[in-house]
């Protein structure tokens, strides 16, 4: 009897053992597990993704468009950097988009995309994104998926606490990470303290056109303004900014800006700011900044130089700004969908600290202040504290929300995403990320109505995740299914550049409005050619303008003579196609710019300055039809001073 018992135990143990080893084996080659995961991210051929994800490119300066859950890359939208693929920043039409008060800047550092909202819900009209290095905010149209506006931000350096929108996209904001002398001037660096300033900018967004206008700046003390978030719902009307270096140190910040136990969250009442502006309580400062707008009618961008900005001084304007103490150099500043909780992530703190909007309002009403900084009242930490998530991980950075009462915070140092409960502050789940996660995104996760199905983590370090590609490896994004109690990592995919934040939206809020063509009869480009019979070549001194058209599968004209060395030749090319997905390209040997990629109904221009006599071909760069290879032409270039007459033709006519 005893023996039988032993025998059964032994068998059970063996069975258990074989189960374990079987599980481990499966885990190792990820057989059943990965086919199950693959199903959840698989979008069958011909089917569409459920979400768009707009992922910032960081040092690429661009914004890439991915599908979720597949992780497929659809487009890289050029924003702050030139892009030879699309001619952006190279063709004459889009060059003005990169004008700044520092001159033409061909590169940018793009950080935080945010989708426009109506009543605190994503409305799918525009994406805003900030440029950190040469302070700018861009607006991208979700009809054309093109950058249609870039505005420079004056008095700013390191435009990082940007570019988030209010509940009704009344404003998109920009804030300076580095404080600087305002106005800029020659002065000793070690006189920083008390003299440098931090500008917080409020850009009004036109509710119809989306056009931005720098309404006013709040001139804050010389701290670093790192991240920002608008109030939502009950806290609509406020904006919150994390600060660090409240020590106002100007050197070795890794030590000197980490002295204080607490920095601040700056709470800015922007409705109050509007009142002060209305009441004329501002100063007008002379400045100079570029405002670049691209028109879908002229297919061209123009730069307007703005010369003034309205400045509000918070030390003199009661009720405009309050400081809430927040532990240890906070980075992320995130507001939950109800608008009650303001989450600050102290990079050097072991905890995540959450402040309460209603407590803040009470403390302000009761005037319970704990001193002031440069005339701005400081609230007492305990009076505004909602709760603390105790020791959830190391190096908290950013938090997003699923709309079901949960928050998700990334931890850079401990490489994980931690799910915790709003109100009880308990940690519910944690999952590793590979590796060193920065931002995370839940579609609509910073709005009043998140779509809490997927979470995208954006990692700084990739190491062994993909095949090696030399010393530089791609950054990676990781997708988690967050519909269950526990998060599940279901996909990782490489990203373009190094993403800082992303914005996700259900595809059906965007896809139906996506533009297919530009109407030819609405083309108001000053050098458009609307039919082949209107094509021509015009000389004015050394300047030659070729008014050219494209249609499958030829250029008109395709033979041009009478061009001379030393000429400046403008190719104004109009694509006559009126069908979806039929762009034509054009490239010219010896042109020191990029090709053009011209959408149906659009006109674009490049400049060619021929340096050598001869007969030089041009061709279409976009495989447009079975006869794409036949889509080519010649330009005859004669020596300077030659009298070969100007001539152009198609089929010798
Ligand atoms: S900020 S993680 Cu612009 Cu956090 Cu990048
Ligand atoms: Cu047109 Cu190829």
């Amino acid at each position: 009897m005893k023996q039988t018992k032993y025998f059964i135990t032994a068998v059970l143990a063996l069975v258990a053992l074989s189960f374990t080893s079987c599980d481990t084996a499966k885990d190792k080659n990820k057989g059943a597990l990965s086919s199950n995961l693959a199903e959840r991210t698989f979008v069958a051929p011909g089917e569409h993704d459920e979400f768009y994800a707009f992922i910032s490119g960081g040092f690429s300066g661009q914004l890439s468009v991915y599908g979720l859950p597949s992780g497929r890359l659809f487009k890289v939208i050029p924003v702050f950097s030139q892009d030879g693929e699309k001619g952006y920043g190279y063709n004459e039409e889009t060059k003005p988009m990169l004008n700044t008060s520092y001159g033409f800047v061909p590169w940018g550092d793009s950080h935080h995309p945010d989708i426009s909202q109506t009543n605190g819900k994503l409305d799918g009209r525009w994406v805003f994104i900030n440029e950190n290095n040469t302070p700018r905010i861009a607006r991208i149209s979700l009809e054309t998926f093109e950058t249609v506006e870039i505005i420079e931000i004056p008095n700013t350096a390191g435009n990082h606490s940007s570019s988030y929108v209010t509940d009704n996209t009344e404003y998109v904001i920009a804030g300076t990470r580095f404080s600087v002398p305002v106005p800029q001037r020659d002065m000793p660096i070690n006189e920083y303290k008390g003299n440098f300033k931090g500008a917080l900018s409020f850009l009004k967004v036109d509710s119809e056109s989306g056009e931005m206008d720098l309404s006013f700046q709040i001139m804050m003390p010389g701290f670093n303004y790192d991240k920002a978030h608008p109030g939502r719902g009950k806290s609509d009307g406020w904006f919150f900014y994390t600060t660090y270096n409240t020590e106002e140190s100007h050197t070795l910040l890794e030590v000197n800006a980490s002295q204080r136990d607490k920095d601040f969250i700056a709470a800015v009442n922007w409705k109050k700011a509007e009142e002060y502006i209305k009441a004329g309580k501002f100063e007008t400062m002379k400045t100079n900044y570029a405002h670049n707008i691209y028109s879908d009618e002229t297919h061209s961008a123009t730069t307007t130089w703005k010369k003034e900005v309205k400045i509000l001084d918070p030390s003199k304007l009661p009720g405009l700004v309050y400081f809430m103490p927040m532990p240890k150099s906070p980075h992320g500043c995130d507001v939950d969908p109800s608008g009650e909780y303001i989450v600050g992530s102290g990079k050097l703190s072991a905890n995540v600290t959450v402040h309460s909007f209603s407590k803040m309002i009470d403390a302000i009403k009761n005037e319970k202040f704990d001193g002031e900084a440069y005339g701005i009242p400081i609230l007492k930490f305990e009076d505004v504290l909602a709760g603390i998530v105790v020791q959830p991980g190391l190096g908290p950075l950013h938090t997003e929300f699923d709309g079901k009462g949960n928050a998700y915070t990334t931890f850079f140092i401990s490489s994980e995403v931690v799910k915790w409960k709003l109100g009880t502050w308990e940690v519910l789940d944690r999952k590793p990320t590979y590796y060193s996660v920065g931002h995370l995104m839940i579609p609509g996760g910073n709005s009043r109505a998140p779509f809490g199905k997927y979470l995208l983590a954006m990692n700084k370090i990739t190491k062994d995740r993909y095949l090696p590609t030399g010393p530089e490896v791609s950054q990676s994004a990781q997708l988690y299914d967050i519909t269950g109690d526990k998060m599940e990592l279901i996909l990782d995919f490489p990203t373009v550049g190094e993403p800082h934040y992303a914005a996700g939206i259900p595809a059906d809020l965007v896809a139906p409005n996506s533009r297919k063509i530009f109407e030819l009869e609405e083309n108001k480009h000053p050098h458009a050619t609307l039919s082949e019979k209107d094509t021509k070549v015009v000389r004015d001194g050394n300047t030659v303008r070729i008014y050219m058209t494209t249609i499958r599968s030829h250029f008109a004209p395709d033979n041009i003579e009478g061009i001379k060395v030393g000429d400046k030749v403008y190719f104004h090319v109009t694509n006559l196609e009126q069908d979806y997905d039929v762009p034509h390209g054009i490239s010219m040997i010896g042109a020191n710019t990029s090709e053009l990629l011209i959408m149906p109904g659009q006109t674009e221009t490049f400049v060619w300055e021929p340096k050598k006599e001869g007969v030089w071909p041009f061709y279409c760069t976009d495989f447009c039809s079975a006869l794409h290879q036949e889509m080519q032409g010649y330009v005859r270039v004669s020596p300077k001073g030659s009298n070969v007459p100007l001539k152009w033709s198609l089929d010798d006519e």
Side-chain angles (χ1 to χ4, degrees), residues 197-218:
K197 294 274 177 251
L200 305 179
S201 305
F202 285 73
L203 293 88
K204 190 100 199 136
V205 178
D206 185 277
S207 58
E208 286 303 309
S209 67
E211 242 178 78
M212 297 179 281
D213 177 52
L214 176 53
S215 290
F216 56 87
Q217 291 187 319
I218 301 177

Side-chain angles (χ1 to χ4, degrees), residues 30 90 107 149 156 171 187 215 237 257 266 278 333 480 515 535 554 600:
K30 293 188 179 138
Y90 288 102
W107 167 88
E149 185 176 7
T156 298
Y171 290 97
M187 65 174 280
S215 290
K278 240 192 218 140
C333 182
Y480 295 80
R515 189 104 174 211
T535 57
H554 60 266

Side-chain angles (χ1 to χ4, degrees), residues 197-312:
K197 294 274 177 251
L200 305 179
S201 305
F202 285 73
L203 293 88
K204 190 100 199 136
V205 178
D206 185 277
S207 58
E208 286 303 309
S209 67
E211 242 178 78
M212 297 179 281
D213 177 52
L214 176 53
S215 290
F216 56 87
Q217 291 187 319
I218 301 177
M219 209 48 76
M220 299 283 286
F223 309 153
N224 288 38
Y225 298 86
D226 203 13
K227 288 300 307 282
H229 249 91
R232 291 272 172 244
K234 59 153 63 161
S235 51
D236 183 30
W238 290 81
F239 238 105
F240 305 95
Y241 300 79
T242 41
T243 67
Y244 66 100
N245 193 22
T246 52
E247 295 86 349
E248 291 179 81
S249 119
H250 60 275
T251 183
L252 197 66
L253 263 66
E254 63 172 322
V255 176
N256 296 329
S258 309
Q259 298 301 307
R260 288 204 179 156
D261 190 41
K262 293 190 178 66
D263 295 282
F264 299 124
I265 289 215
V268 173
N269 185 338
W270 60 260
K271 294 222 163 128
K272 194 101 208 154
E274 285 182 328
E275 287 169 23
Y276 282 130
I277 292 288
K278 240 192 218 140
K281 297 278 168 62
F282 58 85
E283 265 177 49
T284 306
M285 184 188 274
K286 294 258 173 285
T287 181
N288 184 36
Y289 61 95
H291 186 194
N292 310 323
I293 297 191
Y294 182 85
S295 150
D296 282 334
E297 285 180 350
T298 61
H299 303 291
S300 305
T302 46
T303 299
T304 311
W305 295 99
K306 300 278 183 106
K307 299 289 181 195
E308 282 181 350
V309 59
K310 297 186 174 98
I311 305 283
L312 294 173

Side-chain angles (χ1 to χ4, degrees), residues 111-112 130 160 227 331 397-398 438-439 460 498-501:
H111 273 240
H112 315 128
N130 59 317
H160 195 255
K227 288 300 307 282
H331 182 62
L397 288 185
H398 297 282
H439 266 282
K460 304 296 184 192
E498 188 215 75
H500 300 256
Y501 205 42

Side-chain angles (χ1 to χ4, degrees), residues 583-585 620-625 628 631:
H584 291 286
C620 174
T621 48
D622 187 305
F623 210 106
C624 49
S625 76
H628 156 79
M631 197 163 171

Side-chain angles (χ1 to χ4, degrees), residues 334-407:
D334 299 286
V335 176
D336 87 304
S338 76
E340 169 64 10
Y341 298 122
I342 302 134
V343 181
S345 295
K347 299 188 294 275
L348 308 175
S349 160
N351 303 325
V352 170
T353 304
V354 186
H355 285 329
S356 150
F357 176 72
S358 33
K359 284 189 171 178
M360 179 193 94
I361 293 296
D362 284 349
I364 292 171
K365 264 197 202 125
N366 302 329
E367 301 193 354
K368 283 172 81 182
F369 302 134
D370 196 6
E372 50 152 69
Y374 294 100
I376 296 168
I378 302 172
L379 299 165
K380 280 206 188 92
F381 179 73
E382 300 73 29
D383 288 349
V384 293
L385 182 69
I388 291 173
V389 189
V390 180
Q391 304 210 332
L394 293 175
L397 288 185
H398 297 282
T399 301
E400 288 255 296
F401 307 92
D402 63 5
K404 298 168 199 155
N406 304 309

Side-chain angles (χ1 to χ4, degrees), residues 573-589:
V573 188
T574 303
N575 182 355
L576 299 179
E577 304 282 356
Q578 291 287 271
D579 278 344
Y580 185 33
D581 201 18
V582 194
H584 291 286
I586 180 171
S587 65
M588 181 78 226
I589 185 169

Side-chain angles (χ1 to χ4, degrees), residues 184-188:
Q184 269 293 6
R185 60 191 175 275
D186 174 20
M187 65 174 280

